[in-house]
Amino acid sequence: MTSRRDGLEQNYEEIAVIGNGAYGTVYKARDLKNDGQFVAMKRIRIQNTEEGMPMSAIREIALLKQLENYEHPNVVRLLDVRHTDHTASEIRLMLVFEYVDQDLSTYLEGCPPPGLGPDRIRNILVTSQGTLKVADFGLARVYGFQMALTSVVVTLWYRAPEVILQAAYATPVDIWSCGCIFVELFNRRPLFCGQSDIDQLSKIFDILGLPPEDDWPENVSLPWNSFKAVPPQPLEQFVPEIDNDAKDLLEKLICFNPHRRLSAQEAMNHSYFRDDLDSLRTSSSLSVSEGESFETDGRSDTPSKHGGS
Amino acid sequence: MEGDWWKDKIAEDIYETFRIKEQLIPRYHAHSPQIWSRRIIVDWIAVIVENFSLQPTSQHLAIYLLDYFLDKLEVDEKHLYLLAIACLFISVKFEEHCDRRPCLSSVNTFLPQNTVDWYSKDELLSMELTVLNYFDWILSVPTVAHFLPYFLNVAVDETDMYNGYTIRCKATMISYVEKYAKYYSEISLQDHLFRNYNPSMIAAACIAAARIYLQLTPTWPKQLELMTDYYLEELLPCVHMMT
C-alpha cells in the first residue's frame, strides 16, 4: 500500500505554490527520501460530507493508479497517495506526482503573441525534453458498455458539438478536443472561443459551415434549423501557417459527425504523423536538435512535420 | 452512437481489456470469520440498489470490494453495514453518472432497527479511506455486470427455436432473456462460491441459464460461443449452481 497516514511533511519539502486547481493547491516540492528530486504535490482538503470521499478524487486517483500499470510515457506518474489523520471536519489528501516543468500554456507563451485567452491549458504538461504529459483525470471514467456520461466535460472551447447538443457521445469527443488544441499549437490562441453553449456552436459553424441536416444528432433539444445555414470556410483562412497535410488531418479531427471523425488509431496513421515518424527513424541527430530547441525556455516554432525547424 | 455501437472497435477493445483484467483478480479464500453474515449484507445492498435505482455494475463492484476486504480483514460487527455502505458509495462514485449518488442520511434510514446505530459522516469517510487504501485505489475491476450487456447483444437470434417453434418476436424474446439473465446474475452474488469462476464465465452462464429456462434451442448457439469464448460444457457447472 502506498497510501499512508501522516508523516507527509517530513518526507517532502515544499518549495513553491505552482497553482490552485479546482479542488486543491499544487506545490513544487522535494522528495527528501529520494535525493531531493522534484515532485509536484497536489493537496486536497476533503470536508466530511454526506457522500464521503468526493467523486473527483476517487476517479482521479483510481484512474492514475490503473494507468500506472501501463507506464504510458504521456501520462503523468502518480508516485504516492497520502492522507493526514482526520479531524472532526476534514482530512487532507496528498497526491505526489512526478514534477513536470511547464504546462502547455506556459510553453506556448514562450512563443510570439497573439497571446492566450483566459482559459489556460493546464492539464497538458510539457517536460524539458519536449514530451507531452496528460495530467488531471478528475472527470475521467473507465469505459464500460453501458455508460451514462456527464454533459459537463472539458472546457467549453474544446467541447465537441455532440456534447454541447447533449447527444450520445464517446471517445470521438477527445479527438475533437485534440483538433482544437492542434490549431492552438499553430495559432497560439484557441479556435472556437464561445461565450455560451449556443455561441460555441455558432462559432463552430461559422468556420465548418452548418452540417447537413442528416448529420444532426437525433433527439436533441436544439433543432438544426435554429442555426443559420452558413457555408464552410477554408481552414487556412483561420490557420494561416497550416500546410496541406496538417490541414487534411485537422479537417478530419474537427469533423462534425462523430461517426466520421478519425479514431485515435486512424489519426496516428495519418500522413502528417507518418512523415514525422519516418524522419524520427532516419535522423539520429533529431533527438539532440529537438532537445535544444525545446530548452530555449519553451520558445519554439510552429509545429511542423519536420520537428519544428 | 447508440444501437450498434457495441459492434465497433471500441466495444471490442473494452471487452478484451476486461478479459485480461479478470485474469488478474486474486484468488478468493472464503476465509472471513464473518462469512455467515455475507448473505444478509449482500441482500441489504440489493435493497439499497433497488431503492436508489443504482446500476448493476455498482452493485457487483461493491460486493467484490466487500468480499475481498473481508477475506483479509475483520470488521467489528457493528461496522459491517458501514463497510457495506462504504463499498457501495465508492462503487457508485466510480461507476455511475454524477447526479445519481445516494447520501448517507437517507441510506442510514435503511439500517436494521435496534441493531446498529446510524453512522456519522466521519465514520463513512474513514471507512471509505480504509477500503480505498486496502485496494490501493484500484477500482477498475470487471464484474459479471460489466460483461452481461455485451453478451446480451447476441443472446437471441432469429433462427432460435422456442419449444420447437420459431420465435415470433425477437425483441420480446430478448427482453425475456435479459430479465432472466439479470435474475441469475443476482443469484450469483448471493453465494460466495461463485468467486471460484471468472466474471465473464458467470455472465455467459447467466445467459445459458436464461436460455435453458426459456426453452430456447439450440441452448448455446454458435454466435454466443464465439462472442463469449466459452463452450456450453465449460459453463454447465456454473449454470447448475444458479438453477
Side-chain angles (χ1 to χ4, degrees), chain A residues 29 36 54 58 91 95 111 117-118 126 145 157 171 221 278 281 292 305:
Chain A
I58 288 186
I91 61 156
L95 312 191
C111 310
V126 189
F145 299 114
W157 295 345
T171 48
S221 53
D278 288 347
R281 276 190 212 99
E292 279 167 2
K305 52 184 177 168

Side-chain angles (χ1 to χ4, degrees), chain A residues 3 48 51 53 59 141, chain B residues 93 95-96 122 128 133:
Chain A
S3 175
N48 286 1
E51 60 166 57
M53 182 69 70
R59 289 195 181 169
R141 293 203 46 189
Chain B
K93 282 177 274 195
E95 289 285 344
E96 297 208 21
D122 263 17
E128 280 191 330
N133 282 338

Side-chain angles (χ1 to χ4, degrees), chain A residues 184-219:
Chain A
E184 202 161 330
L185 294 176
F186 283 103
N187 292 352
R188 273 88 75 198
R189 62 183 145 72
L191 181 62
F192 307 120
C193 311
Q195 304 290 319
S196 64
D197 285 4
I198 305 235
D199 188 41
Q200 182 70 20
L201 286 169
S202 304
K203 292 223 154 69
I204 290 170
F205 300 148
D206 283 347
I207 295 178
L208 299 188
L210 185 66
E213 193 170 5
D214 289 350
D215 279 353
W216 203 257
E218 283 168 32
N219 303 321

Side-chain angles (χ1 to χ4, degrees), chain A residues 35-99:
Chain A
D35 304 324
Q37 71 165 342
F38 289 133
V39 291
M41 290 200 311
K42 184 167 176 176
R43 185 180 276 174
I44 310 166
R45 296 157 75 101
I46 291 165
Q47 310 277 330
N48 286 1
T49 67
E50 283 278 319
E51 60 166 57
M53 182 69 70
M55 182 189 70
S56 52
I58 288 186
R59 289 195 181 169
E60 171 158 32
I61 301 170
L63 279 151
L64 284 165
K65 281 280 182 186
Q66 192 199 333
L67 288 169
E68 280 303 294
N69 299 331
Y70 302 99
E71 295 185 19
H72 196 287
N74 301 116
V75 175
V76 71
R77 290 273 94 78
L78 176 63
L79 305 171
D80 203 356
V81 179
R82 286 155 177 266
H83 58 88
T84 56
D85 269 324
H86 86 272
T87 63
S89 61
E90 66 166 40
I91 61 156
R92 280 184 304 167
L93 258 189
M94 187 96 90
L95 312 191
V96 183
F97 293 99
E98 69 174 310
Y99 180 74

